[in-house]
Amino acid sequence: MAVPRTIGCTIFLVAIFCLHKKGYGESEKRVLEEVMDTKQSVIHGRHKRAVTIQSTTAQNFPVDFDAVVKVQIPVSSAPFNISEIVRDALKNLSFTFNQSLIVTSLNLTTECYPNTTGELQCQCERQFSWPCSKCQVYDACSNNASQPCECSDALPYDGQFCEPYTNAGACLASTTATPPSSTKTEAPPSSTTTVNLSFTMDLPFSDSYNNGNSSQWTDISSAIQTQCRNHISNLINATLTGFRRGSTIADYTVNAPSLNITELDAVKTGIFTDLGTKYPIIFDSSANLSFTHQSAFYGQTVNVTCGPLPKSLNFGNNWIAEWSQGNSLISNDSKHSLSTDYGAGTATLTMSNVFTSEDGLYECNFKQATGGPSFRQKSSVAFKVTEVPLVQVSPVQIKVPCDGRKVQLTCSVSSNSQNYLVEFTGLTNPDVKINYEYTNTDCTSKTFTCQVKDFPQFNNTITLTSFTGSFLCQDSIFGFGQEDDTAAASCPTNQEGIITAICKKAGWQEQLKTCVLKPVTDLLVQSQFLTTITVPTLLSQLSNVSLNYTKEVVGSPTTISAVVQILSNVANALLSLSIPITKSLMEDVLITSGILTTAKDSWKTLNNGSSSLTNSSISKNESISSKFLQSIEQITRRLTNDSFDISTDYIIFNKTTFKDNFNAEFNSSVDVAISEATGENKSLTIITFSLMDSVLPARNELNLDSAVINGKVVLIQSSANVSNISLTFVVTNDSLKNPECVFWNFNLSRGLGGWDNTGCKLVNNNQTVTCNCNHLTSFSILMSPFSIEDPVLDYITYIGVSISMASLIICLIIEAVIWRKIKLNHTSYLRHVSIVNIAVSLLIADIWFIIGAAISAAKEENKAACSTATFFIHYFYLALFFWMLASALLLLYRTVSVFDGGLSKTSMLVIGFSLGYGAPLIIVVVTIAAAAPRQAYIQGAKICWLNWNESKALLAFVIPALTIVVINLIILLVVLYKMLRRRAVGGASHALERHITVVLARTLAVLTPFFGITWGLGIGTMIHPHNRGLLIAFALFNSLQGFFILVFGTLLDHKVQSELVIKSQTSSRRTKSTSAGALSSSGLGAFWNWRRARDGYSVSSGATNASNSYSNS
């Protein structure tokens, strides 16, 4: 009968699903079958304890069930490392059945692959072997099939798989098995029992050992026969059958009418004693290692006991215990403690703070200090560490009024590996999620405990505090509260931490949020106890978590803080433990780091210092972004000497070697050239970050952050001594100017870190920016927001502002001189009030403009002073426009209403001042309240004006100003229409009232378009910041606003001119230096007389008459 053939396929047998069930019925059978069907595998199952799978009635006792999953993979589509891929997949594979169906272990036992003849060769995994019956029937790969073997030349038909060594055992059979073929094999006598045995020597295997004349064959064959004769009664024969690899395994058979375990153990001990003086023979214990917890939770402490050492081996006290996990040796470190008890002949491995890195098979070896034979004991089942279930409750801590209110209490449990149930102790039945309604009737504080069923150590509590009286705050999350009360709420699902809030008049205000993604929290704890074994596992898990939970990670500043701390702990462990970083480990680091660089908003929050992480070692004087970059630099220093490249979505990594010089382009954004370097074995590592400008703030040695990172950040390290490196950056925003070559100095700003230009200088600034530096670290370029250094603009601004301020002062002096004459006519009085306030607002705004310029030019950054200057500039510029609006509304009111009736002077003044100063105050306060908490109120400490890029705060000025311009223009059109209509029908208004209206309309008609054009040009400069013509026009119009107010608001009013003439005549008469007649005959007097004659008004030379004439103007 031919053995099965599967040409071109690799077959994996995955076992053992040990399913411990509380009763087994048809439903469980269907569950198992459905699960296995989803794996598209061939299932073989068998019960232990002789319980049939076809049973349709549920059993009342636990049942162990073993299942085998056969997975066929075509060789053509399988990568060369398919075995490693399958093993890694099984480590992280989990199944969810129900509460009575539990998977206790999952192992890869057998790998079958086509051999050169086209047949299948099936190799057992470590710790597994084929039973001797299968070795005999299906041909062992070795020459001898009379004992358990690790390889066979076929896959059995009956679904049998490689079993643990302890299950395969010795081949005790009354007959020799017959293969399923037509060729018959003569069976040995029925009275004969054959045992297939083996032992291992810690020697490299050599084919010469199988030479019957070799000393090894002679010594070992003699020892086997001697010990069998000494300890087995009625021995027929004992035969050495050969040696095989792993290290060197000696196989032998024993034939006797009957055999028992005691005799066989005596033979093993005798062989060990006999050969131990000459060969490093290993005595394999038939017992397994003893674990205090075969399955443990994260963070637990587990003891593993090896021994006892058989006294017959005569080891005495001169031996040491050597432990290993898989193929890795275990030594004393922060996680492992090794101890021995020579009196008891045992050794203990203590593992503290266990995590998934401790999963696997363990082995211990007792080795004599002088060499020679050793004692070995293994674990037959893989040790498994399970994550701690996360119990979340809502609310966490709130106050409840003592009035019989009902409070909804919620508790849930989550875990990625197991299904758990929770319960409110003594109140509810277990469930995955519980909602419990509590009525507060007894006015006492209550604490409710929600715990995991069967694991009460995992719990969470809800605290309700009763109070009487009124409450200020109320919502569904933080409950009720009086002023300054605090409350706590739970984090979102799968996040650990707490959210606290305080009750204020505006409601509940969030104080602190320490929510961290639970998988990240687990890794953070694990990173505090790293060893040589656990570092690779942790980095792999961290990159997987970052990929699988990208949205949750980048959206949480506290989670980012935790990930940075993990990387920092890894960097410290690499240094202290001298662990090298391979390509695969570095790739895990770069994947995690690249995802972190995409979190622009979270980094802005972190850099502003408004996030807190509990139980973190990041101090208040440390910058998380700086620590992030420093961790990457430290990890990079532990790279192996290999040259390799890594490309991720956000980071490009290159490690190479060079001789005397180096020149290359990276990521089409940075050119690196090294012309001077000394040292041997010159290696060069270059890491180019696409989005590190979102992570690192743009502050420099003066703690100024008005500049912008305008190129890629590139980290460069070399084993050589580099004294001259040239970097050419492609700028990312060509609207920025004034480049500065910088590197990140971790010591700046009292340890917060910042950009420093020491040792770097600008070489070229054309379409790219070239820098030369005399050292290596993390480089980039800083550039300032657009500002033109144009002498013409400077002269226009300074001269224009000076003229404007002088004009405003003159305007106010003139108004003060004539102020007493304004008393009878309401319209004239209110017009002059508007002009005075417009002039005052612009004058104060100009003064604060000069103050702001001085603050910006200062060497030391002063954000508070810059924000103050911006506040007042914004406020008084808006006041100017709103007083213009008040003037326009006055004009409209006097045009459309009856002149002698309506609002009183006092009412008009109240309206004017409320509109002129109240409305701007509201706008300015709202703007600073909305933008300041986000650090986006001003453009920067070097530009004291409203922010545009981040918060668009500038719109809080532009929109009101241009809206008022449009409203004023509409009012002017309405007034013009009314005035023309009245003139057409003969004119119904008094000449004096009409004159005042015309003056007011003329003032608005000139100033409104002028201010509108000015700030329209301002918008144009934002859209086209390089247009020199727009910039000069805006500077000219903006700096001459005061002059226009003086001319069109005051001097062109002939009533003002007349009063000034009278004042000058009176002054001349008092000094007796001139006369009215002389003034009239002079050129200036002629001008004034011509103006008075043209307007149809006469001015008496007497002060009293002049006063009476002007009082009605």
Side-chain angles (χ1 to χ4, degrees), residues 1029-1054:
L1030 278 177
L1031 292 169
I1032 293 176
F1034 175 67
L1036 182 63
F1037 274 75
N1038 192 44
S1039 60
L1040 294 179
Q1041 291 178 106
F1043 178 75
F1044 272 65
I1045 291 174
L1046 172 63
V1047 173
F1048 293 99
T1050 302
L1051 293 181
L1052 289 183
D1053 185 351
H1054 74 275

Side-chain angles (χ1 to χ4, degrees), residues 228 357 377 415 465 635 702 770 784 803 903 1019 1051 1092:
C228 287
S357 54
Q377 194 171 28
S415 172
T465 303
I635 292 173
L702 298 177
T770 301
S784 303
I803 294 174
L903 297 173
I1019 296 176
L1051 293 181
R1092 289 196 303 273

Side-chain angles (χ1 to χ4, degrees), residues 891-925:
L891 174 64
L892 179 64
Y893 173 73
R894 301 305 288 169
T895 302
V896 301
S897 68
V898 179
F899 287 153
D900 294 332
L903 297 173
S904 65
K905 182 192 296 186
T906 303
S907 299
M908 289 185 174
L909 286 175
V910 171
I911 294 174
F913 277 90
S914 298
L915 185 62
Y917 292 119
L921 182 62
I922 294 173
I923 294 174
V924 172
V925 169

Side-chain angles (χ1 to χ4, degrees), residues 393-415:
V393 296
S394 179
V396 176
Q397 179 181 344
I398 64 170
K399 281 190 170 183
V400 182
C402 184
D403 56 4
R405 289 180 186 266
K406 294 182 178 180
V407 183
Q408 192 74 21
L409 309 181
T410 303
C411 178
S412 61
V413 60
S414 59
S415 172

Side-chain angles (χ1 to χ4, degrees), residues 85-106:
I85 294 174
V86 173
R87 292 188 187 97
D88 292 340
L90 291 178
K91 290 180 182 178
N92 301 316
L93 195 61
S94 62
F95 292 91
T96 301
F97 296 101
N98 54 44
Q99 293 302 309
S100 63
L101 193 59
I102 303 173
V103 177
T104 59
S105 65
L106 179 64

Side-chain angles (χ1 to χ4, degrees), residues 446-725:
K446 295 284 186 181
T447 299
F448 300 87
T449 300
C450 181
Q451 65 185 29
V452 178
K453 186 179 182 297
D454 299 329
F455 301 98
Q457 69 269 33
F458 305 124
N459 59 70
N460 209 337
T461 59
I462 297 175
T463 302
L464 304 181
T465 303
S466 298
F467 74 96
T468 58
S470 60
F471 53 85
L472 180 64
C473 304
Q474 177 187 2
D475 68 17
S476 58
I477 298 176
F478 297 105
F480 304 87
Q482 298 168 315
E483 189 168 8
D484 293 331
D485 282 345
T486 58
S490 61
C491 294
T493 303
N494 204 30
Q495 293 188 23
E496 285 190 297
I498 198 170
I499 305 172
T500 61
I502 187 170
C503 179
K504 294 295 183 182
K505 292 182 179 179
W508 287 108
Q509 297 180 6
E510 191 174 294
Q511 273 188 316
L512 184 65
K513 185 175 183 179
T514 62
C515 301
V516 179
L517 194 67
K518 186 178 185 299
V520 173
T521 303
D522 293 336
L523 294 176
L524 177 60
V525 177
Q526 183 179 355
S527 69
Q528 299 172 12
F529 308 96
L530 291 173
T531 67
T532 304
I533 298 175
T534 59
V535 165
T537 304
L538 181 133
L539 288 176
S540 176
Q541 291 175 339
L542 183 60
S543 64
N544 288 335
V545 168
S546 300
L547 287 170
N548 296 333
Y549 298 94
T550 298
K551 183 178 179 180
E552 293 84 350
V553 170
V554 301
S556 170
T558 45
T559 299
I560 290 177
S561 298
V563 175
V564 170
Q565 186 59 48
I566 293 171
L567 293 175
S568 178
N569 291 343
V570 169
N572 294 333
L574 296 178
L575 179 62
S576 61
L577 301 176
S578 300
I579 303 174
I581 288 292
T582 62
K583 178 180 179 180
S584 61
L585 297 183
M586 194 65 203
E587 186 170 6
D588 288 331
V589 172
L590 296 180
I591 290 173
T592 300
S593 301
I595 291 173
L596 293 190
T597 62
T598 64
K600 183 176 182 179
D601 293 337
S602 293
W603 282 112
K604 186 179 296 184
T605 301
L606 290 169
N607 289 328
N608 290 337
S610 55
S611 179
S612 175
L613 175 65
T614 3
N615 299 325
S616 171
S617 62
I618 298 179
S619 67
K620 294 182 179 178
N621 294 326
E622 258 182 324
S623 165
I624 297 176
S625 56
S626 185
K627 191 163 193 172
F628 174 48
L629 179 61
Q630 190 173 39
S631 299
I632 297 176
E633 286 197 10
Q634 291 174 343
I635 292 173
T636 305
R637 293 192 186 101
R638 297 298 308 164
L639 286 168
T640 60
N641 294 326
D642 303 328
S643 295
F644 54 87
D645 297 334
I646 300 173
S647 178
T648 68
D649 291 339
Y650 308 105
I651 301 176
I652 304 297
F653 175 95
N654 307 92
K655 188 173 188 298
T656 186
T657 57
F658 68 101
K659 292 184 178 180
D660 298 325
N661 52 61
F662 178 84
N663 194 337
E665 176 184 314
F666 298 93
N667 200 27
S668 302
S669 58
V670 181
D671 289 344
V672 177
I674 298 176
S675 57
E676 300 177 17
T678 60
E680 299 180 356
N681 300 322
K682 299 173 185 175
S683 64
L684 183 66
T685 301
I686 300 176
I687 303 178
T688 308
F689 300 91
S690 297
L691 300 175
M692 188 60 82
D693 57 318
S694 300
V695 177
L696 298 172
R699 59 173 173 259
N700 56 19
E701 65 271 18
L702 298 177
N703 201 26
L704 305 178
D705 58 1
S706 56
V708 176
I709 302 173
N710 201 31
K712 303 295 184 186
V713 176
V714 56
L715 189 161
I716 303 177
Q717 291 181 355
S718 177
S719 61
N721 297 319
V722 177
S723 58
N724 187 7
I725 182 171

Side-chain angles (χ1 to χ4, degrees), residues 63 95 103 113 122 129 206 230 371 419 423 466 481 525 543 619 640 672 678 831 861 880 942 1020:
V63 178
F95 292 91
V103 177
Y113 45 88
C122 295
S129 66
S206 173
N230 292 340
N419 288 331
E423 59 186 351
S466 298
V525 177
S543 64
S619 67
T640 60
V672 177
T678 60
R831 184 184 79 82
E861 181 184 76
L880 178 151
K942 307 300 290 181

